Amino acid sequence: ESTLAAAAAQSGRYFGTAIAAGKLGDSQYTSIANREFNMVTAENEMKIDATEPNRGQFNFTNGDRVYNWAVQNGKRVRGHTLAWYSQQPGWMQSLSGSSLRQAMIDHINGVVNHYKGKIYAWDVVNEAFADGNSGGRRDSNLQRTGNDWIEVAFRTARAADPAAKLCYNDYNIDNWSWAKTQGVYNMVRDFKSRGVPIDCVGLQSHFNSQSPYNSNYRTTISSFAALGVDVQITELDIQGGSAQTYASVVNDCLAVARCTGITVWGVRDSDSWLGANTSPLLFDSSGNKKAAYTSVLNALNNA
Ligand code: G3I
């Protein structure tokens, strides 16, 4: 096959990208994205600050622009993200306790209901675990509402849209030996054992010199999958753009049946949140295929 989406589809997987609403007028951007990818994540447009700028007043203008572009071009959509310590609107940042808890529930209901039946998987909770060696939760206003905030978020999302897969999504949970990975693993195991509705774990997979790809990545994927959840690679980028590392990531996903798809966090290097100079993506800033692109395509075709 000659595109990432078609090559991934040979094994029933998807290959996706983050899409920014502000770039949908860029024909080079949309033609590459339309040709190569069959899953879309809104890079910012479905986040809390974008969708509920004032309490109780939802705004889906830009989220719908990304959603409609995707669906009109035959792609599915991952929803990102419903509950997060970051990119909260000012009104939410200033809440605490039971009023914040209720605002979180209301937000999840408002957004999930708007897209009910239309989303492949929601990143219900994003980045709730602490960096470093504790393996525990990240301190945040949401965490301070009580340790059960994550399961409340998942139960609320399930009730609002029973058709969407519900994911926990985080970075630096790709290295199996790291405490943060183990902390998330223990939470997912606990959720499965108690019947808290969770269907998938998103490994963001932002690889750089501080948190490089590790050969135990495949162990991480298979270990989460063995808990009875799907695993998705949700925000892949590799600083330096190593073609060999890209191939390893793809091969590790392909080796685990429940690794259902891969999303890269942008189209061209110039679209990356990291800046084009780190060369993290599969297309250069002129839209040309990079060595990493060919490496990923070959890995998908050789599965
Ligand atoms: O749109 C405004 C613009 O009007 C303003 O002039 C400009 C000035 O700073 O900011 C623009 O908004 C920026 C937005 O990206 C769109 O470019 C925000 O400041 C900036 O904070 C925002 O960054 C996003 C970041 O999440 C915010 O946390 C990145 O695009 C986005 O790639 C990044 O994505 C996250 C995932 O959601 C979660 N995992 C990590 C990943 C990378 O940080």
Side-chain angles (χ1 to χ4, degrees), residues 65-278:
R65 288 174 69 199
V66 174
Y67 176 85
N68 289 333
W69 181 85
V71 169
Q72 283 160 10
N73 289 292
K75 302 165 198 332
R76 292 183 291 172
V77 176
R78 296 190 79 265
H80 176 79
T81 177
L82 300 169
W84 190 18
Y85 76 90
S86 182
Q87 278 185 287
Q88 294 181 5
W91 64 265
M92 185 179 277
Q93 291 175 37
S94 67
L95 294 182
S96 62
S98 58
S99 56
L100 174 60
R101 176 66 66 91
Q102 191 59 48
M104 177 191 83
I105 291 168
D106 294 345
H107 179 77
I108 293 171
N109 280 324
V111 177
V112 175
N113 187 53
H114 178 77
Y115 292 108
K116 185 173 185 175
K118 299 175 167 182
I119 298 291
Y120 167 73
W122 271 108
D123 291 332
V124 177
V125 170
N126 196 41
E127 301 174 2
F129 276 73
D131 299 321
N133 298 321
S134 76
R137 298 285 181 84
R138 173 193 299 276
D139 180 50
S140 72
N141 60 348
L142 289 165
Q143 180 62 28
R144 291 191 291 270
T145 68
N147 207 51
D148 63 340
W149 72 277
I150 297 180
E151 61 191 86
V152 169
F154 276 86
R155 291 187 200 280
T156 304
R158 177 68 97 225
D161 184 358
K165 291 180 185 288
L166 305 182
C167 301
Y168 177 80
N169 190 55
D170 213 332
Y171 63 87
N172 288 1
I173 60 167
D174 24 70
N175 189 323
W176 183 242
S177 69
W178 286 6
K180 187 171 174 181
T181 310
Q182 295 301 313
V184 173
Y185 177 83
N186 288 331
M187 178 189 74
V188 175
R189 188 174 54 183
D190 171 57
F191 279 14
K192 293 300 286 184
S193 75
R194 291 192 293 113
V196 178
I198 183 169
D199 306 303
C200 37
V201 172
L203 307 179
Q204 291 185 9
S205 307
H206 295 291
F207 292 116
N208 55 52
S209 57
Q210 305 296 313
S211 53
Y213 169 82
N214 186 288
S215 59
N216 66 29
Y217 190 58
R218 191 176 298 197
T219 300
T220 304
I221 296 171
S222 62
S223 298
F224 277 113
L227 293 175
V229 291
D230 290 344
V231 178
Q232 297 161 7
I233 297 171
T234 53
E235 304 181 14
L236 177 63
D237 47 33
I238 300 172
Q239 290 195 43
S242 163
Q244 193 182 338
T245 306
Y246 261 108
S248 297
V249 169
V250 171
N251 284 326
D252 290 343
C253 179
L254 294 173
V256 180
R258 291 199 78 160
C259 183
T260 60
I262 300 171
T263 293
V264 289
W265 204 238
V267 178
R268 302 160 301 194
D269 285 336
S270 49
D271 302 314
S272 173
W273 69 293
L274 295 165
N277 57 330
T278 62

